Amino acid sequence: MLKAIIFDMDGVIIDSEEQHNRAAQRVFQSHGITVDADYHAKFVGTSTRNLVQTSIQELGLDIAEDTLYEEMNLEKKKVLAEEGYVPLPGVVDLIRQLAQEGFKLAIASSSIPNDIKEVVKALKIRKYFHQLVSSTQVTHPKPAPDIFALALKELGVNASEAIVIEDSEHGVQAAKAAGITCVGYLNPNSGKQDLGCADVLLESFEGLTPSFFYHVHQRSHGKPITIASTKRLLIRELAVEDIKELYPIYQDPDVRRFIDDIDEYMDKEMEKQKAYIKNVYSFYGYGLWGVFSKTSGGLIGRCGIENQIIDGREEIMLSYLLDSNHWGYGYALECCKAVFAYAQEELNIHRIVAVIDQNNIRSIHTAKNLGMKPEKEIVYKNRNSILYSIQL
């Protein structure tokens, strides 16, 4: 169960990496050394102490480590005094939502304790955080897992109960080394960071809700996400073990009449569905989900939305199929209504289309009952079809 969210600070809460870069360049220039942004980028996510120790050796600086360290911190303060703290768009609202949801929150930063305190005070977010952890409190900085191990201890949670949000390669490596699910934030001001080890990549905090983090956590631990629960149905992501239950549904001649691209052999279908589960759900946040009967607990079909090019236009398309034994009882209408609600409320999707064979009277009836309107006749996958749409 997800209980805690751990934030990096620089590049995640405040957009400060360019400020740190400018401060470091000023200090190096004062010693007659010129470095570019790429040099600084390799230290993003690690501590100022590590920057100082490495640069003295690599750049041949004739200066005591503690002296250079103090110069760096002093120059950073000057830059921040000139420019102020710039929060990432949407992050303060997200922090507020996560705290209201009941998560334990912490900052685990390579910055010194006073800098962390000044940031949370300036942004008026101190009350939301249970713990503020600095790399100065541990022996080894990121990419070592020490800082996150300490954050977990201070929060009183296990690695399996937390998520880390990081913008640097070192930070992602540290989180994974600590055994924690990691969200990689793609901050363009953090340099060329390789965040490939993160469980999921994020381009913006704007519009995020706590459910995003529940979903990431579930997927990272191999657990399917429940999309909706209706009076008679449970709609959730498919797990690999569900795939065998799909095959008999696919083989039903009545189902196959209007469904394309169904492989004839179980092994092909298994491999195709495994790849789908692994890649599509996490990348888009949606796909074709399993529809389960609450009475029997069994899989009775699939329903969901997918990205498709239809008549030359990118669309989000509704698709569903149900075991023919469950036709005529309103199950299609029930699951599709739940999908529409989820698309609007959780995914902020407002247009959905359906492409229906002109001879598929049942599906045309369902589309009309959903409030979908016919737009035009098209040929889709060699079928004479009608394009239906709805604005949510």
Side-chain angles (χ1 to χ4, degrees):
M1 179 179 178
L2 180 61
K3 297 180 180 179
I5 311 291
I6 303 172
F7 286 78
D8 179 35
M9 186 178 77
D10 296 296
V12 171
I13 295 177
I14 54 173
D15 205 7
S16 56
E17 294 300 350
E18 283 194 332
Q19 294 174 319
H20 291 179
N21 180 25
R22 284 194 290 276
Q25 287 182 332
R26 288 182 189 180
V27 172
F28 288 136
Q29 286 171 358
S30 71
H31 292 280
I33 300 291
T34 300
V35 296
D36 58 18
D38 288 341
Y39 183 78
H40 178 79
K42 68 181 184 179
F43 298 104
V44 172
T46 189
S47 65
T48 302
R49 179 69 70 177
N50 184 50
L51 165 64
V52 166
Q53 291 172 341
T54 305
S55 61
I56 285 176
Q57 293 180 348
E58 291 184 346
L59 303 177
L61 292 169
D62 185 16
I63 186 174
E65 178 184 316
D66 287 344
T67 301
L68 185 60
Y69 180 73
E70 290 300 321
E71 289 182 6
M72 288 286 184
N73 285 330
L74 180 61
E75 197 60 40
K76 278 198 294 185
K77 289 182 182 296
K78 289 180 180 178
V79 172
L80 289 169
E82 295 167 3
E83 304 175 7
Y85 297 105
V86 181
L88 271 299
V91 74
V92 171
D93 184 57
L94 175 62
I95 290 168
R96 187 182 300 113
Q97 286 187 62
L98 292 172
Q100 291 171 349
E101 187 76 7
F103 287 114
K104 293 182 176 181
L105 304 183
I107 290 176
S109 171
S110 296
S111 293
I112 61 176
N114 282 342
D115 287 352
I116 301 173
K117 292 175 182 177
E118 287 180 11
V119 168
V120 296
K121 180 181 178 181
L123 300 184
K124 299 180 180 180
I125 56 175
R126 177 61 184 93
K127 62 183 177 181
Y128 301 123
F129 287 96
H130 292 73
Q131 298 294 333
L132 306 177
V133 183
S134 165
S135 63
T136 61
Q137 298 172 253
V138 297
T139 304
H140 304 104
K142 304 171 187 177
D146 300 30
I147 190 170
F148 292 125
L150 178 59
L152 292 174
K153 181 179 179 181
E154 295 291 331
L155 290 172
V157 299
N158 298 320
S160 62
E161 299 171 323
I163 282 179
V164 165
I165 307 174
E166 269 286 355
D167 71 311
S168 72
E169 181 177 354
H170 288 138
V172 170
Q173 290 173 347
K176 300 309 293 181
I180 309 173
T181 299
C182 184
V183 172
Y185 174 62
L186 295 166
N187 188 332
N189 294 327
S190 297
K192 299 175 182 178
Q193 300 296 313
D194 181 0
L195 308 184
C197 291
D199 293 275
V200 67
L201 299 179
L202 185 66
E203 293 184 341
S204 173
F205 293 113
E206 294 183 290
L208 282 190
T209 64
S211 63
F212 168 82
F213 294 94
Y214 282 120
H215 293 177
V216 170
H217 187 261
Q218 286 284 98
R219 289 195 187 100
S220 72
H221 290 276
K223 299 177 181 178
I225 293 166
T226 297
I227 302 303
S229 178
T230 69
K231 184 178 180 179
R232 299 178 295 175
L233 303 172
L234 185 71
I235 302 169
R236 67 162 171 81
E237 293 180 348
L238 289 163
V240 173
E241 55 267 27
D242 297 322
I243 298 171
K244 289 183 179 180
E245 294 186 53
L246 276 176
Y247 197 63
I249 300 174
Y250 285 178
Q251 293 307 295
D252 185 329
D254 290 329
V255 172
R256 291 180 66 90
R257 182 182 174 193
F258 297 112
I259 303 296
D260 299 301
D261 304 327
I262 295 178
D263 289 322
E264 294 290 342
Y265 301 101
M266 186 63 177
D267 56 347
K268 290 182 180 179
E269 183 65 17
M270 287 280 284
E271 291 306 311
K272 185 170 73 173
Q273 295 301 329
K274 285 179 183 178
Y276 188 95
I277 290 168
K278 179 180 179 181
N279 300 314
V280 174
Y281 290 151
S282 60
F283 185 80
Y284 290 107
Y286 53 84
L288 294 180
W289 300 302
V291 179
F292 297 82
S293 167
K294 285 185 174 179
T295 302
S296 67
L299 180 70
I300 66 169
R302 297 179 75 174
C303 184
I305 50 178
E306 296 185 292
N307 289 48
Q308 296 287 346
I309 302 295
I310 301 172
D311 203 28
R313 177 178 175 179
E314 291 185 9
E315 299 277 15
I316 296 178
M317 185 175 77
L318 172 71
S319 298
Y320 67 91
L321 64 85
L322 295 174
D323 185 322
S324 59
N325 292 326
H326 292 83
W327 290 4
Y329 299 98
Y331 287 107
L333 188 64
E334 189 172 333
C335 66
C336 289
K337 282 184 175 179
V339 167
F340 282 2
Y342 185 84
Q344 181 180 20
E345 296 166 12
E346 296 294 335
L347 303 174
N348 200 32
I349 292 171
H350 298 292
R351 173 180 164 87
I352 294 178
V353 303
V355 179
I356 305 175
D357 189 300
Q358 291 181 357
N359 297 313
N360 192 343
I361 304 303
R362 286 182 178 275
S363 290
I364 290 173
H365 183 67
T366 298
K368 290 179 178 179
N369 284 337
L370 287 167
M372 303 188 82
K373 305 296 183 183
E375 283 194 5
K376 57 185 173 181
E377 295 182 1
I378 63 172
V379 176
Y380 185 73
K381 295 186 177 180
N382 297 318
R383 293 177 180 269
N384 293 322
S385 304
I386 305 171
L387 177 68
Y388 283 81
S389 69
I390 188 170
Q391 294 292 328
L392 302 177

